[in-house]
Amino acid sequence: PGARGGRGLRPGNVPGSGGGAGAGGASGSGKLTGVRVAAQLVFDRLGLQFDTRVPTYSVKRQAKPVFKVGPSGQAVTLSGASGVLVQVRSASASGTYSGPTDISHPDYQVLVETKLVEDFEGHLSWGVGLTKPACLRAFTLSDPARLVLDFKTP
């Protein structure tokens, strides 16, 4: 399996201090089939697995781990001091993903919580709570199709 569409983001690129976004993926739709988090030696990882391809996505940093939930617009605050919003277009978890929608790991160095904040009309979004802004690398893998986010640990 090879990496495609890699993007590196720096911790200083938090919105409010100069921007910060990444994007990639392929045209077409996809169904979420798995979500995994893992602590590695030099990074914490979030992986979103899809059935056939990783649809178009964007990764946006946030100064706080506060996210709007779906079309209701209600705010939810995740653990941590900063956040990242992962948005996937033309995607859904309905009917294909039955795993947890709120995953907490307070023992991880950076990625302490991730939560499904939207799965509505082809818009799939996960909020990520981080202990602090961290260097971030977003990329896709194939076989199986995955969107991977690595957050550098101290």
Side-chain angles (χ1 to χ4, degrees), residues 83-134:
V84 169
L85 179 63
V86 181
Q87 297 176 302
V88 186
R89 301 293 177 231
S90 299
S92 175
S94 180
T96 56
Y97 177 68
S98 60
T101 57
D102 189 355
I103 303 169
S104 293
H105 277 284
D107 53 320
Y108 284 12
Q109 292 185 59
V110 177
L111 192 166
V112 290
E113 186 176 8
T114 187
K115 180 178 179 73
L116 177 65
V117 295
E118 183 174 22
D119 184 8
F120 184 72
E121 294 185 348
H123 297 269
L124 185 67
S125 299
W126 284 80
V128 181
L130 305 174
T131 57
K132 62 182 181 177

Short mmCIF file of all heavy atoms in Angstrom, two decimals, residues 83-134:
data_model
loop_
_atom_site.label_atom_id
_atom_site.label_comp_id
_atom_site.label_asym_id
_atom_site.label_seq_id
_atom_site.Cartn_x
_atom_site.Cartn_y
_atom_site.Cartn_z
N GLY A 83 -7.84 21.93 18.62
CA GLY A 83 -8.60 20.95 17.86
C GLY A 83 -8.26 20.92 16.38
O GLY A 83 -7.59 21.81 15.85
N VAL A 84 -8.74 19.88 15.73
CA VAL A 84 -8.64 19.71 14.29
C VAL A 84 -9.99 19.17 13.81
O VAL A 84 -10.56 18.26 14.43
CB VAL A 84 -7.51 18.72 13.91
CG1 VAL A 84 -7.57 18.34 12.45
CG2 VAL A 84 -6.15 19.31 14.24
N LEU A 85 -10.50 19.75 12.73
CA LEU A 85 -11.74 19.29 12.12
C LEU A 85 -11.41 18.58 10.81
O LEU A 85 -10.78 19.16 9.93
CB LEU A 85 -12.69 20.45 11.86
CG LEU A 85 -14.02 20.09 11.20
CD1 LEU A 85 -14.85 19.17 12.10
CD2 LEU A 85 -14.81 21.36 10.86
N VAL A 86 -11.84 17.32 10.69
CA VAL A 86 -11.64 16.54 9.48
C VAL A 86 -13.00 16.41 8.79
O VAL A 86 -13.93 15.84 9.36
CB VAL A 86 -11.09 15.13 9.80
CG1 VAL A 86 -10.86 14.34 8.53
CG2 VAL A 86 -9.82 15.22 10.63
N GLN A 87 -13.12 16.98 7.59
CA GLN A 87 -14.38 16.95 6.85
C GLN A 87 -14.18 16.12 5.58
O GLN A 87 -13.22 16.35 4.83
CB GLN A 87 -14.82 18.35 6.48
CG GLN A 87 -15.12 19.21 7.71
CD GLN A 87 -15.47 20.63 7.33
OE1 GLN A 87 -14.67 21.31 6.70
NE2 GLN A 87 -16.64 21.07 7.73
N VAL A 88 -15.10 15.18 5.34
CA VAL A 88 -15.03 14.34 4.16
C VAL A 88 -16.34 14.53 3.40
O VAL A 88 -17.43 14.37 3.96
CB VAL A 88 -14.83 12.85 4.52
CG1 VAL A 88 -14.62 12.02 3.26
CG2 VAL A 88 -13.65 12.68 5.47
N ARG A 89 -16.24 14.88 2.13
CA ARG A 89 -17.41 15.14 1.29
C ARG A 89 -17.79 13.88 0.52
O ARG A 89 -16.94 13.06 0.21
CB ARG A 89 -17.14 16.28 0.31
CG ARG A 89 -16.78 17.58 1.00
CD ARG A 89 -17.96 18.12 1.78
NE ARG A 89 -17.61 19.33 2.49
CZ ARG A 89 -17.84 19.52 3.79
NH1 ARG A 89 -18.43 18.60 4.50
NH2 ARG A 89 -17.51 20.64 4.36
N SER A 90 -19.07 13.78 0.21
CA SER A 90 -19.61 12.60 -0.51
C SER A 90 -19.29 11.32 0.25
O SER A 90 -18.89 10.32 -0.33
CB SER A 90 -19.05 12.53 -1.94
OG SER A 90 -19.41 13.68 -2.66
N ALA A 91 -19.46 11.37 1.58
CA ALA A 91 -19.16 10.22 2.42
C ALA A 91 -20.25 10.04 3.47
O ALA A 91 -20.96 10.98 3.81
CB ALA A 91 -17.82 10.41 3.11
N SER A 92 -20.34 8.81 3.97
CA SER A 92 -21.32 8.50 5.00
C SER A 92 -20.81 7.35 5.84
O SER A 92 -20.02 6.53 5.38
CB SER A 92 -22.65 8.11 4.35
OG SER A 92 -23.58 7.68 5.33
N ALA A 93 -21.28 7.30 7.10
CA ALA A 93 -20.98 6.17 7.98
C ALA A 93 -22.23 5.32 8.18
O ALA A 93 -22.15 4.20 8.65
CB ALA A 93 -20.47 6.68 9.32
N SER A 94 -23.36 5.84 7.81
CA SER A 94 -24.64 5.17 8.02
C SER A 94 -24.70 3.83 7.27
O SER A 94 -24.49 3.77 6.07
CB SER A 94 -25.77 6.09 7.53
OG SER A 94 -27.01 5.46 7.73
N GLY A 95 -24.94 2.77 8.03
CA GLY A 95 -25.08 1.45 7.44
C GLY A 95 -23.78 0.69 7.20
O GLY A 95 -23.81 -0.50 6.90
N THR A 96 -22.63 1.36 7.33
CA THR A 96 -21.36 0.68 7.08
C THR A 96 -20.40 0.75 8.25
O THR A 96 -19.44 -0.03 8.32
CB THR A 96 -20.63 1.26 5.85
OG1 THR A 96 -20.45 2.67 6.04
CG2 THR A 96 -21.42 1.01 4.58
N TYR A 97 -20.62 1.68 9.19
CA TYR A 97 -19.73 1.81 10.34
C TYR A 97 -20.56 1.66 11.62
O TYR A 97 -21.49 2.43 11.85
CB TYR A 97 -19.01 3.16 10.33
CG TYR A 97 -18.13 3.35 11.55
CD1 TYR A 97 -17.00 2.57 11.73
CD2 TYR A 97 -18.46 4.27 12.53
CE1 TYR A 97 -16.21 2.72 12.86
CE2 TYR A 97 -17.67 4.43 13.66
CZ TYR A 97 -16.55 3.65 13.82
OH TYR A 97 -15.76 3.79 14.93
N SER A 98 -20.21 0.67 12.42
CA SER A 98 -20.95 0.42 13.65
C SER A 98 -20.06 0.54 14.89
O SER A 98 -20.47 0.17 15.98
CB SER A 98 -21.60 -0.96 13.61
OG SER A 98 -20.62 -1.97 13.45
N GLY A 99 -18.87 1.07 14.72
CA GLY A 99 -17.93 1.21 15.83
C GLY A 99 -18.23 2.44 16.67
O GLY A 99 -19.24 3.13 16.48
N PRO A 100 -17.35 2.74 17.60
CA PRO A 100 -17.55 3.89 18.48
C PRO A 100 -17.51 5.22 17.72
O PRO A 100 -16.77 5.36 16.75
CB PRO A 100 -16.40 3.80 19.48
CG PRO A 100 -15.38 2.93 18.84
CD PRO A 100 -16.10 2.03 17.88
N THR A 101 -18.32 6.16 18.15
CA THR A 101 -18.35 7.49 17.53
C THR A 101 -17.70 8.54 18.42
O THR A 101 -17.63 9.70 18.04
CB THR A 101 -19.80 7.91 17.18
OG1 THR A 101 -20.58 7.88 18.38
CG2 THR A 101 -20.38 6.97 16.14
N ASP A 102 -17.26 8.15 19.59
CA ASP A 102 -16.53 9.04 20.49
C ASP A 102 -15.43 8.19 21.13
O ASP A 102 -15.71 7.29 21.92
CB ASP A 102 -17.46 9.63 21.55
CG ASP A 102 -16.80 10.73 22.38
OD1 ASP A 102 -15.59 10.98 22.21
OD2 ASP A 102 -17.50 11.36 23.19
N ILE A 103 -14.19 8.47 20.76
CA ILE A 103 -13.06 7.67 21.21
C ILE A 103 -12.14 8.55 22.04
O ILE A 103 -11.61 9.55 21.55
CB ILE A 103 -12.29 7.08 20.01
CG1 ILE A 103 -13.23 6.26 19.12
CG2 ILE A 103 -11.11 6.25 20.49
CD1 ILE A 103 -12.64 5.87 17.78
N SER A 104 -11.95 8.19 23.32
CA SER A 104 -11.09 8.96 24.22
C SER A 104 -9.84 8.16 24.58
O SER A 104 -9.93 6.95 24.84
CB SER A 104 -11.84 9.30 25.51
OG SER A 104 -12.88 10.20 25.24
N HIS A 105 -8.71 8.85 24.60
CA HIS A 105 -7.45 8.26 25.03
C HIS A 105 -6.67 9.31 25.83
O HIS A 105 -5.71 9.89 25.33
CB HIS A 105 -6.61 7.77 23.84
CG HIS A 105 -7.01 6.42 23.37
ND1 HIS A 105 -6.65 5.27 24.04
CD2 HIS A 105 -7.77 6.03 22.34
CE1 HIS A 105 -7.17 4.23 23.43
NE2 HIS A 105 -7.86 4.67 22.39
N PRO A 106 -7.08 9.55 27.09
CA PRO A 106 -6.39 10.57 27.89
C PRO A 106 -4.93 10.23 28.16
O PRO A 106 -4.15 11.10 28.53
CB PRO A 106 -7.21 10.62 29.18
CG PRO A 106 -7.97 9.34 29.22
CD PRO A 106 -8.16 8.91 27.80
N ASP A 107 -4.54 8.96 27.93
CA ASP A 107 -3.15 8.55 28.15
C ASP A 107 -2.25 8.86 26.96
O ASP A 107 -1.03 8.79 27.07
CB ASP A 107 -3.11 7.05 28.46
CG ASP A 107 -3.83 6.21 27.41
OD1 ASP A 107 -4.90 6.63 26.93
OD2 ASP A 107 -3.33 5.12 27.07
N TYR A 108 -2.82 9.24 25.81
CA TYR A 108 -2.00 9.60 24.65
C TYR A 108 -1.36 10.97 24.88
O TYR A 108 -1.91 11.81 25.58
CB TYR A 108 -2.84 9.65 23.38
CG TYR A 108 -3.21 8.29 22.80
CD1 TYR A 108 -3.04 7.11 23.51
CD2 TYR A 108 -3.75 8.21 21.54
CE1 TYR A 108 -3.39 5.88 22.97
CE2 TYR A 108 -4.11 6.98 20.98
CZ TYR A 108 -3.92 5.82 21.72
OH TYR A 108 -4.28 4.62 21.17
N GLN A 109 -0.22 11.22 24.23
CA GLN A 109 0.49 12.48 24.43
C GLN A 109 -0.17 13.67 23.75
O GLN A 109 -0.11 14.78 24.25
CB GLN A 109 1.93 12.35 23.94
CG GLN A 109 2.77 11.41 24.78
CD GLN A 109 4.20 11.42 24.33
OE1 GLN A 109 4.85 12.46 24.33
NE2 GLN A 109 4.71 10.26 23.92
N VAL A 110 -0.80 13.46 22.59
CA VAL A 110 -1.37 14.58 21.83
C VAL A 110 -2.85 14.37 21.52
O VAL A 110 -3.69 15.17 21.89
CB VAL A 110 -0.57 14.83 20.53
CG1 VAL A 110 -1.21 15.94 19.70
CG2 VAL A 110 0.87 15.20 20.85
N LEU A 111 -3.18 13.28 20.84
CA LEU A 111 -4.57 13.01 20.42
C LEU A 111 -5.33 12.39 21.60
O LEU A 111 -5.16 11.22 21.89
CB LEU A 111 -4.57 12.06 19.22
CG LEU A 111 -5.86 11.85 18.45
CD1 LEU A 111 -5.57 11.16 17.13
CD2 LEU A 111 -6.94 11.16 19.19
N VAL A 112 -6.16 13.19 22.27
CA VAL A 112 -6.84 12.68 23.46
C VAL A 112 -8.29 12.30 23.23
O VAL A 112 -8.87 11.56 24.03
CB VAL A 112 -6.71 13.66 24.65
CG1 VAL A 112 -5.27 13.68 25.16
CG2 VAL A 112 -7.17 15.05 24.29
N GLU A 113 -8.91 12.81 22.16
CA GLU A 113 -10.29 12.43 21.87
C GLU A 113 -10.62 12.71 20.41
O GLU A 113 -10.13 13.67 19.83
CB GLU A 113 -11.27 13.22 22.76
CG GLU A 113 -12.72 12.79 22.61
CD GLU A 113 -13.67 13.50 23.56
OE1 GLU A 113 -13.26 14.46 24.24
OE2 GLU A 113 -14.84 13.08 23.62
N THR A 114 -11.44 11.85 19.81
CA THR A 114 -11.99 12.10 18.48
C THR A 114 -13.45 11.70 18.50
O THR A 114 -13.82 10.72 19.15
CB THR A 114 -11.19 11.39 17.37
OG1 THR A 114 -11.68 11.81 16.10
CG2 THR A 114 -11.28 9.87 17.47
N LYS A 115 -14.27 12.48 17.82
CA LYS A 115 -15.71 12.26 17.87
C LYS A 115 -16.34 12.56 16.51
O LYS A 115 -15.98 13.53 15.85
CB LYS A 115 -16.33 13.20 18.92
CG LYS A 115 -17.84 13.07 19.08
CD LYS A 115 -18.33 13.99 20.18
CE LYS A 115 -19.81 13.91 20.36
NZ LYS A 115 -20.25 12.68 21.01
N LEU A 116 -17.28 11.70 16.10
CA LEU A 116 -18.06 11.94 14.90
C LEU A 116 -19.01 13.10 15.20
O LEU A 116 -19.85 12.99 16.10
CB LEU A 116 -18.86 10.69 14.52
CG LEU A 116 -19.79 10.81 13.32
CD1 LEU A 116 -19.01 11.04 12.04
CD2 LEU A 116 -20.64 9.55 13.19
N VAL A 117 -18.84 14.22 14.50
CA VAL A 117 -19.68 15.39 14.76
C VAL A 117 -20.69 15.65 13.65
O VAL A 117 -21.59 16.48 13.82
CB VAL A 117 -18.84 16.66 15.05
CG1 VAL A 117 -18.05 16.48 16.34
CG2 VAL A 117 -17.91 17.00 13.90
N GLU A 118 -20.54 14.95 12.52
CA GLU A 118 -21.53 15.10 11.46
C GLU A 118 -21.52 13.88 10.54
O GLU A 118 -20.47 13.40 10.14
CB GLU A 118 -21.26 16.35 10.62
CG GLU A 118 -22.30 16.58 9.54
CD GLU A 118 -22.12 17.90 8.80
OE1 GLU A 118 -21.00 18.45 8.81
OE2 GLU A 118 -23.10 18.36 8.21
N ASP A 119 -22.73 13.40 10.24
CA ASP A 119 -22.94 12.37 9.22
C ASP A 119 -24.32 12.67 8.64
O ASP A 119 -25.33 12.09 9.04
CB ASP A 119 -22.89 10.96 9.81
CG ASP A 119 -23.02 9.87 8.74
OD1 ASP A 119 -23.01 10.21 7.54
OD2 ASP A 119 -23.14 8.69 9.12
N PHE A 120 -24.36 13.64 7.73
CA PHE A 120 -25.63 14.16 7.24
C PHE A 120 -25.50 14.57 5.78
O PHE A 120 -24.64 15.37 5.44
CB PHE A 120 -26.06 15.36 8.10
CG PHE A 120 -27.41 15.91 7.75
CD1 PHE A 120 -28.57 15.21 8.06
CD2 PHE A 120 -27.53 17.13 7.12
CE1 PHE A 120 -29.81 15.72 7.74
CE2 PHE A 120 -28.76 17.65 6.79
CZ PHE A 120 -29.92 16.94 7.11
N GLU A 121 -26.36 14.02 4.94
CA GLU A 121 -26.44 14.38 3.53
C GLU A 121 -25.09 14.42 2.83
O GLU A 121 -24.75 15.38 2.14
CB GLU A 121 -27.19 15.70 3.36
CG GLU A 121 -28.64 15.61 3.77
CD GLU A 121 -29.44 16.87 3.50
OE1 GLU A 121 -28.83 17.92 3.19
OE2 GLU A 121 -30.66 16.79 3.60
N GLY A 122 -24.30 13.37 3.02
CA GLY A 122 -23.03 13.25 2.32
C GLY A 122 -21.89 14.05 2.93
O GLY A 122 -20.83 14.15 2.33
N HIS A 123 -22.09 14.58 4.12
CA HIS A 123 -21.04 15.31 4.82
C HIS A 123 -20.69 14.54 6.08
O HIS A 123 -21.52 14.33 6.96
CB HIS A 123 -21.49 16.72 5.20
CG HIS A 123 -21.79 17.57 4.02
ND1 HIS A 123 -20.84 18.36 3.42
CD2 HIS A 123 -22.91 17.73 3.29
CE1 HIS A 123 -21.37 18.98 2.39
NE2 HIS A 123 -22.64 18.61 2.29
N LEU A 124 -19.44 14.09 6.16
CA LEU A 124 -18.95 13.33 7.29
C LEU A 124 -17.83 14.13 7.94
O LEU A 124 -16.88 14.53 7.26
CB LEU A 124 -18.41 11.98 6.79
CG LEU A 124 -17.95 10.96 7.81
CD1 LEU A 124 -19.13 10.45 8.63
CD2 LEU A 124 -17.26 9.81 7.12
N SER A 125 -17.96 14.40 9.25
CA SER A 125 -16.95 15.20 9.94
C SER A 125 -16.59 14.57 11.28
O SER A 125 -17.47 14.12 12.03
CB SER A 125 -17.47 16.63 10.20
OG SER A 125 -17.75 17.28 9.00
N TRP A 126 -15.29 14.58 11.57
CA TRP A 126 -14.77 14.12 12.85
C TRP A 126 -14.03 15.28 13.51
O TRP A 126 -13.19 15.93 12.87
CB TRP A 126 -13.81 12.94 12.67
CG TRP A 126 -14.53 11.66 12.38
CD1 TRP A 126 -15.04 11.27 11.17
CD2 TRP A 126 -14.84 10.63 13.30
NE1 TRP A 126 -15.65 10.05 11.30
CE2 TRP A 126 -15.53 9.63 12.60
CE3 TRP A 126 -14.59 10.45 14.67
CZ2 TRP A 126 -15.99 8.46 13.21
CZ3 TRP A 126 -15.04 9.27 15.27
CH2 TRP A 126 -15.74 8.30 14.54
N GLY A 127 -14.32 15.54 14.77
CA GLY A 127 -13.58 16.50 15.55
C GLY A 127 -12.48 15.78 16.30
O GLY A 127 -12.66 14.62 16.72
N VAL A 128 -11.34 16.43 16.44
CA VAL A 128 -10.20 15.84 17.14
C VAL A 128 -9.75 16.80 18.22
O VAL A 128 -9.49 17.98 17.95
CB VAL A 128 -9.02 15.56 16.17
CG1 VAL A 128 -7.86 14.91 16.90
CG2 VAL A 128 -9.48 14.71 14.99
N GLY A 129 -9.68 16.31 19.46
CA GLY A 129 -9.17 17.10 20.57
C GLY A 129 -7.71 16.77 20.82
O GLY A 129 -7.35 15.59 20.94
N LEU A 130 -6.89 17.81 20.88
CA LEU A 130 -5.45 17.65 21.07
C LEU A 130 -5.02 18.33 22.37
O LEU A 130 -5.56 19.37 22.74
CB LEU A 130 -4.68 18.30 19.91
CG LEU A 130 -5.04 17.83 18.50
CD1 LEU A 130 -4.29 18.67 17.47
CD2 LEU A 130 -4.76 16.35 18.31
N THR A 131 -4.00 17.79 23.02
CA THR A 131 -3.49 18.41 24.25
C THR A 131 -2.87 19.77 23.97
O THR A 131 -2.86 20.64 24.83
CB THR A 131 -2.43 17.52 24.93
OG1 THR A 131 -1.38 17.26 23.99
CG2 THR A 131 -3.03 16.23 25.43
N LYS A 132 -2.37 19.95 22.73
CA LYS A 132 -1.74 21.21 22.31
C LYS A 132 -1.63 21.18 20.79
O LYS A 132 -1.71 20.11 20.18
CB LYS A 132 -0.36 21.35 22.93
CG LYS A 132 0.59 20.25 22.50
CD LYS A 132 1.94 20.39 23.15
CE LYS A 132 2.85 19.27 22.67
NZ LYS A 132 4.17 19.38 23.18
N PRO A 133 -1.43 22.33 20.15
CA PRO A 133 -1.19 22.30 18.70
C PRO A 133 0.06 21.45 18.42
O PRO A 133 1.04 21.54 19.15
CB PRO A 133 -0.93 23.77 18.34
CG PRO A 133 -1.61 24.54 19.43
CD PRO A 133 -1.45 23.70 20.67
N ALA A 134 -0.02 20.62 17.40
CA ALA A 134 1.09 19.72 17.09
C ALA A 134 1.30 19.67 15.58
O ALA A 134 0.37 19.89 14.81
CB ALA A 134 0.78 18.32 17.62
#
